[in-house]
Amino acid sequence: MLFLVRMDVNIPHDLPAEQAEAIKAREKAYAQQLQREGHWRHLWRVAGEYANYSVFDAASNDELHGLLSQLPLFPFMKIQVTPLAQHPSAIA
């Protein structure tokens, strides 16, 4: 199943810089792992915002929740999920 996911990140300003950088490094490694595994199919930055639109491929809502909740930045995110279905006019 494909899901369109918008993630808005809001790291607290009082979080020590070293801690924030360590979390972001773990986030990058995990995101790249999910991409290599085929779960995180597309990743686009929202220009001018600390946010992204992504397409995830997960077997179920529960699997998607598990993938997202393991993101190191998850505690600092607002996440919106939209399930996707094939459009009848799509040629691909």
Side-chain angles (χ1 to χ4, degrees):
M1 297 174 60
L2 296 179
F3 299 89
L4 177 66
V5 180
R6 179 178 168 120
M7 294 178 245
D8 292 89
V9 182
N10 186 14
I11 298 175
H13 296 294
D14 60 348
L15 189 69
E18 284 183 7
Q19 187 176 351
E21 292 306 315
I23 292 169
K24 289 190 261 185
R26 289 196 319 272
E27 179 85 8
K28 181 177 182 177
Y30 181 58
Q32 290 178 344
Q33 173 191 334
L34 291 179
Q35 290 173 69
R36 285 187 203 94
E37 293 172 355
H39 292 295
W40 200 324
R41 303 273 295 270
H42 300 279
L43 172 58
W44 294 280
R45 177 181 304 229
V46 178
E49 299 180 36
Y50 196 170
N52 72 75
Y53 278 104
S54 296
V55 175
F56 280 82
D57 191 351
S60 67
N61 295 333
D62 290 332
E63 181 182 32
L64 177 66
H65 179 75
L67 296 171
L68 295 175
S69 65
Q70 292 179 57
L71 290 165
L73 285 171
F74 182 78
F76 310 114
M77 289 182 176
K78 176 184 172 193
I79 298 176
Q80 297 174 316
V81 176
T82 304
L84 300 174
Q86 183 71 34
H87 193 284
S89 297
I91 60 173

